[in-house]
Amino acid sequence: MIVVAGEALIDLVPSPQDPSPDGRSPLDGRLPTLLPRRGGGPYNTAVALGRLGSPTAFCSRVSTDTFGEALLHGLRDAGVDTSLVQRGGEPTTLAVADISPDGSAGYGFYADGTADRLFTLPPALPDAVRAVSLGTCSLVLEPGASAYESLLRREARRGVFTALDPNVRPGLIPDPDAYRARFRSWLPDLALLKLSEEDALWLAGTDTGGGWDAVGAAAREWLGAGPAAIVVTRGGDGLTVLTRDGGQLTVPGERVTVVDTIGAGDTVNAALLHRLDAHGALSYAAVAALGADAWRDILRFAARAAAITCSRAGAEPPFATELAA
Protein backbone atom coordinates (compact mmCIF):
# COMPACT_ATOMS: atom_id res chain seq x y z
CA MET A 1 0.00 0.00 0.00
CA ILE A 2 1.08 3.58 -0.75
CA VAL A 3 0.16 6.23 1.84
CA VAL A 4 -0.26 9.80 0.65
CA ALA A 5 -0.09 12.31 3.51
CA GLY A 6 -1.02 15.98 3.30
CA GLU A 7 -3.78 18.46 2.79
CA ALA A 8 -7.18 18.05 1.17
CA LEU A 9 -8.84 21.32 0.18
CA ILE A 10 -11.32 22.91 -2.17
CA ASP A 11 -10.09 24.73 -5.27
CA LEU A 12 -12.34 27.56 -6.41
CA VAL A 13 -11.82 27.55 -10.18
CA PRO A 14 -13.08 30.15 -12.70
CA SER A 15 -16.01 28.91 -14.74
CA PRO A 16 -15.18 28.18 -18.39
CA GLN A 17 -18.33 30.17 -19.25
CA ASP A 18 -16.75 33.33 -17.84
CA PRO A 19 -14.82 35.64 -20.20
CA SER A 20 -11.27 34.49 -20.93
CA PRO A 21 -8.46 35.58 -18.61
CA ASP A 22 -6.30 36.93 -21.45
CA GLY A 23 -7.75 40.43 -21.32
CA ARG A 24 -9.54 40.25 -24.67
CA SER A 25 -12.88 39.57 -22.99
CA PRO A 26 -12.78 41.30 -19.58
CA LEU A 27 -15.30 40.81 -16.81
CA ASP A 28 -15.90 44.61 -16.78
CA GLY A 29 -16.14 44.75 -13.00
CA ARG A 30 -18.38 41.71 -12.63
CA LEU A 31 -17.44 39.04 -10.11
CA PRO A 32 -16.12 35.82 -11.67
CA THR A 33 -18.07 32.61 -11.27
CA LEU A 34 -15.98 30.26 -9.11
CA LEU A 35 -16.70 26.56 -9.17
CA PRO A 36 -15.68 24.34 -6.21
CA ARG A 37 -13.41 21.44 -7.12
CA ARG A 38 -11.76 18.88 -4.87
CA GLY A 39 -8.03 19.51 -4.60
CA GLY A 40 -4.78 19.83 -2.71
CA GLY A 41 -1.57 18.29 -4.03
CA PRO A 42 -1.54 15.20 -1.78
CA TYR A 43 -5.30 14.71 -2.23
CA ASN A 44 -4.94 14.80 -6.03
CA THR A 45 -2.01 12.38 -5.83
CA ALA A 46 -4.05 9.91 -3.77
CA VAL A 47 -7.00 10.10 -6.17
CA ALA A 48 -4.70 9.62 -9.16
CA LEU A 49 -3.06 6.58 -7.57
CA GLY A 50 -6.45 5.09 -6.82
CA ARG A 51 -7.62 5.62 -10.39
CA LEU A 52 -4.45 3.97 -11.69
CA GLY A 53 -5.19 0.93 -9.55
CA SER A 54 -2.50 1.23 -6.88
CA PRO A 55 -3.62 0.23 -3.36
CA THR A 56 -3.60 3.64 -1.67
CA ALA A 57 -4.51 5.22 1.67
CA PHE A 58 -4.88 8.93 2.46
CA CYS A 59 -3.52 10.32 5.73
CA SER A 60 -4.72 13.80 6.70
CA ARG A 61 -7.18 15.77 8.81
CA VAL A 62 -10.41 16.57 6.97
CA SER A 63 -13.26 18.79 8.08
CA THR A 64 -16.68 17.45 9.00
CA ASP A 65 -18.26 20.26 6.95
CA THR A 66 -19.95 19.78 3.56
CA PHE A 67 -16.70 20.28 1.68
CA GLY A 68 -14.98 17.72 3.88
CA GLU A 69 -17.66 15.14 3.18
CA ALA A 70 -17.28 15.79 -0.56
CA LEU A 71 -13.51 15.30 -0.28
CA LEU A 72 -13.95 11.93 1.44
CA HIS A 73 -16.52 10.90 -1.17
CA GLY A 74 -14.00 11.65 -3.92
CA LEU A 75 -11.36 9.49 -2.25
CA ARG A 76 -13.73 6.59 -1.80
CA ASP A 77 -14.91 6.86 -5.41
CA ALA A 78 -11.28 6.43 -6.47
CA GLY A 79 -10.88 3.36 -4.25
CA VAL A 80 -8.66 5.12 -1.71
CA ASP A 81 -8.63 3.86 1.89
CA THR A 82 -9.71 6.65 4.29
CA SER A 83 -9.12 4.83 7.58
CA LEU A 84 -6.08 7.04 8.33
CA VAL A 85 -8.05 10.29 7.90
CA GLN A 86 -8.54 12.35 11.06
CA ARG A 87 -11.71 14.47 11.31
CA GLY A 88 -12.42 17.84 12.89
CA GLY A 89 -15.09 20.51 13.01
CA GLU A 90 -12.78 23.23 11.67
CA PRO A 91 -13.52 24.56 8.15
CA THR A 92 -11.99 23.21 4.96
CA THR A 93 -9.08 25.14 3.41
CA LEU A 94 -10.03 27.05 0.25
CA ALA A 95 -7.69 27.85 -2.65
CA VAL A 96 -8.79 30.42 -5.23
CA ALA A 97 -7.26 29.57 -8.61
CA ASP A 98 -6.21 32.23 -11.11
CA ILE A 99 -5.87 30.65 -14.56
CA SER A 100 -3.43 32.29 -16.99
CA PRO A 101 -3.93 32.27 -20.79
CA ASP A 102 -1.43 29.38 -21.10
CA GLY A 103 -3.47 27.28 -18.68
CA SER A 104 -1.08 27.59 -15.72
CA ALA A 105 -2.64 28.31 -12.34
CA GLY A 106 -1.74 30.54 -9.41
CA TYR A 107 -3.47 30.30 -6.03
CA GLY A 108 -4.61 32.43 -3.14
CA PHE A 109 -5.29 30.50 0.07
CA TYR A 110 -7.79 30.79 2.90
CA ALA A 111 -6.13 28.52 5.45
CA ASP A 112 -6.30 30.13 8.90
CA GLY A 113 -7.80 27.77 11.47
CA THR A 114 -8.65 25.07 8.93
CA ALA A 115 -8.85 21.35 9.59
CA ASP A 116 -5.76 20.12 7.75
CA ARG A 117 -3.50 22.47 9.75
CA LEU A 118 -4.37 20.56 12.93
CA PHE A 119 -3.15 17.16 11.71
CA THR A 120 -1.38 15.17 14.42
CA LEU A 121 1.20 12.40 14.07
CA PRO A 122 -0.66 9.07 13.75
CA PRO A 123 0.38 5.83 15.41
CA ALA A 124 2.62 3.46 13.49
CA LEU A 125 1.35 2.91 9.97
CA PRO A 126 0.16 -0.59 8.97
CA ASP A 127 2.81 -3.15 8.06
CA ALA A 128 1.39 -3.26 4.51
CA VAL A 129 2.59 0.31 3.84
CA ARG A 130 5.55 0.27 1.43
CA ALA A 131 5.72 3.95 0.45
CA VAL A 132 4.78 7.36 1.83
CA SER A 133 4.35 10.46 -0.32
CA LEU A 134 4.17 14.00 1.13
CA GLY A 135 4.30 17.60 0.00
CA THR A 136 2.76 21.01 -0.73
CA CYS A 137 1.08 23.18 1.94
CA SER A 138 1.07 20.41 4.53
CA LEU A 139 4.81 20.86 5.14
CA VAL A 140 4.49 24.66 5.47
CA LEU A 141 1.49 25.43 7.67
CA GLU A 142 1.96 24.81 11.38
CA PRO A 143 1.22 23.06 13.64
CA GLY A 144 0.45 20.32 11.16
CA ALA A 145 3.71 20.81 9.24
CA SER A 146 5.79 19.52 12.15
CA ALA A 147 3.55 16.44 12.45
CA TYR A 148 3.92 15.64 8.75
CA GLU A 149 7.68 16.15 9.03
CA SER A 150 7.79 13.72 11.96
CA LEU A 151 5.82 11.20 9.88
CA LEU A 152 8.34 11.53 7.03
CA ARG A 153 11.33 10.98 9.32
CA ARG A 154 9.76 8.13 11.28
CA GLU A 155 8.73 6.15 8.21
CA ALA A 156 12.04 6.74 6.41
CA ARG A 157 13.97 5.45 9.38
CA ARG A 158 11.97 2.24 9.50
CA GLY A 159 12.78 1.56 5.84
CA VAL A 160 9.62 2.78 4.09
CA PHE A 161 10.12 4.30 0.63
CA THR A 162 9.61 8.06 0.91
CA ALA A 163 8.75 10.57 -1.83
CA LEU A 164 8.41 14.36 -1.62
CA ASP A 165 6.94 16.98 -3.92
CA PRO A 166 7.51 20.40 -2.28
CA ASN A 167 5.07 22.05 -4.74
CA VAL A 168 6.16 25.46 -3.46
CA ARG A 169 3.54 28.14 -2.75
CA PRO A 170 5.66 31.23 -1.99
CA GLY A 171 2.67 33.23 -0.73
CA LEU A 172 2.33 30.79 2.18
CA ILE A 173 6.01 30.94 3.20
CA PRO A 174 6.81 33.93 5.45
CA ASP A 175 10.54 33.14 5.75
CA PRO A 176 11.89 31.67 2.48
CA ASP A 177 15.42 31.08 3.79
CA ALA A 178 14.12 29.19 6.83
CA TYR A 179 11.95 27.02 4.58
CA ARG A 180 14.85 26.33 2.22
CA ALA A 181 16.93 25.19 5.19
CA ARG A 182 14.09 22.98 6.38
CA PHE A 183 13.76 21.49 2.89
CA ARG A 184 17.45 20.59 2.88
CA SER A 185 17.01 18.90 6.27
CA TRP A 186 14.47 16.50 4.70
CA LEU A 187 16.80 15.31 1.94
CA PRO A 188 18.56 12.55 3.97
CA ASP A 189 15.15 10.97 4.62
CA LEU A 190 14.04 10.88 0.97
CA ALA A 191 14.25 8.14 -1.64
CA LEU A 192 12.62 10.20 -4.42
CA LEU A 193 12.30 13.95 -4.87
CA LYS A 194 9.93 15.23 -7.55
CA LEU A 195 9.58 18.93 -8.24
CA SER A 196 8.96 21.42 -11.01
CA GLU A 197 11.72 23.44 -12.64
CA GLU A 198 10.25 26.59 -11.09
CA ASP A 199 10.22 25.02 -7.63
CA ALA A 200 13.83 23.91 -8.03
CA LEU A 201 14.94 27.43 -8.91
CA TRP A 202 13.02 28.90 -5.97
CA LEU A 203 14.43 26.35 -3.53
CA ALA A 204 17.93 27.00 -4.87
CA GLY A 205 17.40 30.70 -4.17
CA THR A 206 17.66 31.77 -7.81
CA ASP A 207 13.91 32.25 -8.42
CA THR A 208 13.31 32.08 -12.19
CA GLY A 209 16.57 33.53 -13.50
CA GLY A 210 18.94 30.58 -13.45
CA GLY A 211 17.71 28.31 -16.23
CA TRP A 212 18.36 24.60 -16.52
CA ASP A 213 22.03 24.86 -15.59
CA ALA A 214 21.03 26.23 -12.17
CA VAL A 215 18.38 23.51 -11.77
CA GLY A 216 20.88 20.78 -12.63
CA ALA A 217 23.51 22.15 -10.27
CA ALA A 218 21.01 22.34 -7.41
CA ALA A 219 19.72 18.83 -8.12
CA ARG A 220 23.25 17.41 -8.03
CA GLU A 221 23.85 19.07 -4.67
CA TRP A 222 20.56 17.72 -3.30
CA LEU A 223 21.32 14.21 -4.58
CA GLY A 224 24.53 14.26 -2.59
CA ALA A 225 22.46 14.84 0.55
CA GLY A 226 20.22 11.80 0.23
CA PRO A 227 17.67 11.03 -2.52
CA ALA A 228 18.31 8.15 -4.90
CA ALA A 229 16.75 10.14 -7.77
CA ILE A 230 15.25 13.52 -8.55
CA VAL A 231 12.57 13.98 -11.21
CA VAL A 232 12.07 17.51 -12.55
CA THR A 233 8.95 18.47 -14.51
CA ARG A 234 9.76 21.00 -17.24
CA GLY A 235 6.40 21.98 -18.73
CA GLY A 236 6.40 21.54 -22.50
CA ASP A 237 10.00 20.31 -22.36
CA GLY A 238 8.94 17.12 -20.62
CA LEU A 239 10.50 15.41 -17.61
CA THR A 240 14.11 14.86 -16.57
CA VAL A 241 15.46 12.38 -14.03
CA LEU A 242 18.84 12.85 -12.36
CA THR A 243 20.36 9.99 -10.39
CA ARG A 244 23.05 9.64 -7.73
CA ASP A 245 25.42 7.87 -10.14
CA GLY A 246 25.53 10.97 -12.36
CA GLY A 247 22.91 9.78 -14.84
CA GLN A 248 20.46 12.13 -16.53
CA LEU A 249 17.60 11.29 -18.88
CA THR A 250 14.89 13.45 -20.43
CA VAL A 251 11.66 12.45 -22.16
CA PRO A 252 9.54 14.98 -24.09
CA GLY A 253 6.11 16.08 -22.98
CA GLU A 254 3.03 14.71 -24.72
CA ARG A 255 1.38 17.10 -27.18
CA VAL A 256 -2.12 18.05 -26.03
CA THR A 257 -4.53 20.97 -26.11
CA VAL A 258 -4.13 22.40 -22.61
CA VAL A 259 -7.31 23.38 -20.78
CA ASP A 260 -5.43 24.05 -17.53
CA THR A 261 -2.51 22.55 -15.62
CA ILE A 262 -4.31 22.04 -12.30
CA GLY A 263 -3.29 18.69 -10.85
CA ALA A 264 -0.75 17.90 -13.58
CA GLY A 265 2.21 17.74 -11.20
CA ASP A 266 0.19 15.68 -8.74
CA THR A 267 -0.64 13.25 -11.54
CA VAL A 268 3.08 12.97 -12.28
CA ASN A 269 3.64 12.11 -8.59
CA ALA A 270 1.11 9.33 -8.74
CA ALA A 271 2.25 8.02 -12.10
CA LEU A 272 5.87 7.85 -10.95
CA LEU A 273 4.97 5.89 -7.83
CA HIS A 274 2.61 3.60 -9.73
CA ARG A 275 5.13 2.84 -12.46
CA LEU A 276 8.03 2.46 -10.04
CA ASP A 277 5.95 -0.17 -8.28
CA ALA A 278 5.36 -1.92 -11.62
CA HIS A 279 9.15 -2.12 -11.98
CA GLY A 280 9.50 -3.49 -8.44
CA ALA A 281 11.31 -0.30 -7.45
CA LEU A 282 9.57 0.98 -4.32
CA SER A 283 12.79 0.85 -2.33
CA TYR A 284 15.82 3.10 -2.17
CA ALA A 285 18.18 0.42 -3.47
CA ALA A 286 15.88 -0.52 -6.35
CA VAL A 287 15.50 3.09 -7.51
CA ALA A 288 19.26 3.57 -7.33
CA ALA A 289 19.69 0.48 -9.53
CA LEU A 290 17.21 1.47 -12.28
CA GLY A 291 18.71 1.74 -15.75
CA ALA A 292 17.94 4.13 -18.60
CA ASP A 293 15.33 1.89 -20.25
CA ALA A 294 13.33 1.58 -17.04
CA TRP A 295 13.48 5.33 -16.36
CA ARG A 296 12.44 6.07 -19.94
CA ASP A 297 9.36 3.89 -19.49
CA ILE A 298 8.52 5.45 -16.11
CA LEU A 299 8.88 9.03 -17.34
CA ARG A 300 6.91 8.41 -20.55
CA PHE A 301 4.10 6.91 -18.51
CA ALA A 302 4.08 9.98 -16.24
CA ALA A 303 4.12 12.33 -19.24
CA ARG A 304 1.12 10.60 -20.79
CA ALA A 305 -0.82 10.71 -17.54
CA ALA A 306 -0.08 14.41 -17.01
CA ALA A 307 -1.11 15.24 -20.57
CA ILE A 308 -4.53 13.71 -20.01
CA THR A 309 -4.98 15.75 -16.84
CA CYS A 310 -4.00 18.95 -18.69
CA SER A 311 -6.55 18.22 -21.41
CA ARG A 312 -9.51 18.70 -19.05
CA ALA A 313 -10.59 21.30 -16.51
CA GLY A 314 -9.47 20.96 -12.90
CA ALA A 315 -7.59 18.13 -11.24
CA GLU A 316 -9.08 15.17 -13.10
CA PRO A 317 -6.32 12.54 -13.36
CA PRO A 318 -6.72 9.61 -15.73
CA PHE A 319 -7.94 6.11 -15.05
CA ALA A 320 -5.77 3.08 -15.84
CA THR A 321 -7.97 2.24 -18.82
CA GLU A 322 -7.26 5.61 -20.44
CA LEU A 323 -3.53 5.08 -20.28
CA ALA A 324 -3.85 1.53 -21.55
CA ALA A 325 -5.72 2.87 -24.57
Side-chain angles (χ1 to χ4, degrees):
M1 176 183 289
I2 298 171
V3 169
V4 184
E7 79 277 358
L9 52 79
I10 295 294
D11 287 325
L12 298 177
V13 181
S15 167
Q17 279 70 54
D18 272 348
S20 63
D22 60 7
R24 290 195 294 268
S25 304
L27 282 167
D28 295 325
R30 290 177 288 124
L31 290 172
T33 303
L34 297 175
L35 305 177
R37 296 287 185 265
R38 303 175 183 96
Y43 180 89
N44 296 336
T45 298
V47 169
L49 277 164
R51 289 184 177 187
L52 290 174
S54 285
T56 305
F58 189 57
C59 183
S60 183
R61 182 179 173 90
V62 174
S63 176
T64 54
D65 65 13
T66 300
F67 285 145
E69 292 299 326
L71 288 163
L72 285 183
H73 183 78
L75 290 167
R76 291 168 180 147
D77 265 2
V80 176
D81 184 337
T82 60
S83 62
L84 297 176
V85 174
Q86 303 165 18
R87 305 300 303 276
E90 309 81 19
T92 297
T93 298
L94 302 178
V96 181
D98 182 14
I99 309 299
S100 298
D102 64 358
S104 61
Y107 296 91
F109 291 89
Y110 295 84
D112 286 348
T114 52
D116 55 85
R117 295 188 68 167
L118 300 180
F119 172 80
T120 57
L121 180 66
L125 297 181
D127 291 340
V129 174
R130 296 182 297 124
V132 175
S133 172
L134 301 98
T136 319
C137 310
S138 57
L139 285 163
V140 175
L141 299 172
E142 295 289 6
S146 292
Y148 285 114
E149 181 179 292
S150 295
L151 178 65
L152 168 66
R153 297 192 192 283
R154 185 186 75 188
E155 296 307 308
R157 291 167 190 181
R158 75 180 186 99
V160 173
F161 182 90
T162 52
L164 173 70
D165 177 10
N167 203 357
V168 177
R169 305 298 185 208
L172 289 175
I173 301 173
D175 186 340
D177 288 339
Y179 181 79
R180 289 175 180 125
R182 194 172 189 181
F183 161 74
R184 289 191 293 272
S185 79
W186 299 328
L187 296 173
D189 292 311
L190 297 180
L192 176 69
L193 173 63
K194 173 265 166 189
L195 72 175
S196 70
E197 194 167 6
E198 294 79 11
D199 286 349
L201 290 169
W202 189 93
L203 287 164
T206 59
D207 294 329
T208 58
W212 176 253
D213 287 345
V215 172
R220 290 296 173 201
E221 177 188 344
W222 298 334
L223 281 165
I230 296 176
V231 174
V232 183
T233 59
R234 306 176 66 186
D237 293 330
L239 296 90
T240 297
V241 63
L242 302 98
T243 55
R244 282 180 66 87
D245 62 2
Q248 180 173 318
L249 175 72
T250 299
V251 303
E254 297 274 336
R255 296 295 179 186
V256 68
T257 299
V258 176
V259 174
D260 64 50
T261 62
I262 297 174
D266 311 324
T267 299
V268 170
N269 271 349
L272 290 172
L273 291 166
H274 179 81
R275 203 64 166 183
L276 282 168
D277 194 17
H279 282 268
L282 281 187
S283 74
Y284 189 101
V287 168
L290 286 173
D293 288 344
W295 273 118
R296 189 173 291 108
D297 172 73
I298 292 162
L299 296 184
R300 284 177 174 168
F301 182 83
R304 288 197 303 274
I308 293 172
T309 300
C310 289
S311 72
R312 44 207 190 195
E316 286 295 337
F319 292 86
T321 52
E322 295 177 274
L323 286 167

